[in-house]
């Protein structure tokens, strides 16, 4: 009887751990999907910041305008490759070894209420810094040079 109880307990603990792993993978997938929505647009133009941010519903809690948002002009696959060996460690994040065309959209006023957000856009060519959890889940920033 004691062995059966121990076995049952082990099965329950294993099932709970497996359930947590599945939930974690789903949350990474959700974070990756959010990253794609907020930061990937192969055809982005610096003239389309207002429309694209509104269309993608990018804001803080659907109440405030996001002060700055960067779009990477590349495919999901190309950006994901930074996390899959085409990048290098950088302050707990991953930086690309190659340059990417990006569009940086900055809020014209210090604050605003969503969806009435107005942005200035500029196109740059930079290395990107992202947080990887198997897939990209956070855009940290960009740099146009490497420190020694």
């Amino acid at each position: 009887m004691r062995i059966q109880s121990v076995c049952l307990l082990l099965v329950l603990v294993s099932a709970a751990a497996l359930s947590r792993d599945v939930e974690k993978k789903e949350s990474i997938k959700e974070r990756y999907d959010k990253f794609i929505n907020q930061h990937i647009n192969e055809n982005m133009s610096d003239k389309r910041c207002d429309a694209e941010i509104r269309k993608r519903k990018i804001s803080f809690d659907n109440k405030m305008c996001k002060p700055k948002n960067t779009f990477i002009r590349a495919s999901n696959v190309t950006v994901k490759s930074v996390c899959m060996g085409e990048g290098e460690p950088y302050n707990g994040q991953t930086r690309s070894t190659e340059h990417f065309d990006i569009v940086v959209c900055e809020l014209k006023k210090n604050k605003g209420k969503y969806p009435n957000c107005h942005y200035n856009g500029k196109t740059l060519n930079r290395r990107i810094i992202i947080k990887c959890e198997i897939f990209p889940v956070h855009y940290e920033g960009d740099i146009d040079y490497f420190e020694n």
Side-chain angles (χ1 to χ4, degrees), residues 10-142:
L10 287 174
V11 168
L12 291 174
V13 168
S14 296
L18 182 60
S19 175
R20 279 193 306 275
D21 287 346
V22 169
E23 287 174 16
K24 185 176 181 181
K25 287 179 184 167
E26 289 171 350
S27 70
I28 290 171
K29 170 79 167 97
E30 289 168 2
R31 292 179 70 198
Y32 176 54
D33 289 344
K34 183 179 178 183
F35 176 87
I36 290 170
N37 181 64
Q38 288 189 337
H39 300 293
I40 304 290
N41 186 332
E42 289 184 72
N43 302 309
M44 184 63 183
S45 157
D46 57 9
K47 306 284 187 252
R48 298 233 355 110
C49 287
D50 293 354
E52 204 61 29
I53 287 173
R54 189 175 304 115
K55 178 178 126 186
R56 293 172 180 237
K57 299 179 179 174
I58 298 170
S59 68
F60 286 124
D61 299 326
N62 292 322
K63 295 177 185 172
M64 300 302 295
C65 299
K66 191 173 177 185
K68 180 178 175 181
N69 193 75
T70 301
F71 291 99
I72 306 165
R73 294 179 53 183
S75 70
N76 301 348
V77 173
T78 302
V79 175
K80 187 167 52 171
S81 72
V82 173
C83 294
M84 305 294 201
E86 298 295 319
E88 56 192 18
Y90 183 77
N91 295 336
Q93 313 271 342
T94 303
R95 70 176 169 191
S96 63
T97 54
E98 300 296 323
H99 282 79
F100 283 84
D101 287 331
I102 60 174
V103 175
V104 180
C105 302
E106 293 189 272
L107 194 60
K108 287 182 181 179
K109 297 178 182 176
N110 287 342
K111 55 185 172 180
K113 295 217 178 194
Y114 179 81
N116 300 315
C117 308
H118 300 286
Y119 293 87
N120 288 320
K122 64 181 168 187
T123 303
L124 302 168
N125 186 270
R126 301 280 173 91
R127 292 181 171 113
I128 60 172
I129 303 167
I130 57 178
K131 179 171 180 61
C132 297
E133 291 180 7
I134 302 171
F135 303 113
V137 295
H138 175 72
Y139 183 89
E140 182 63 31
D142 53 81

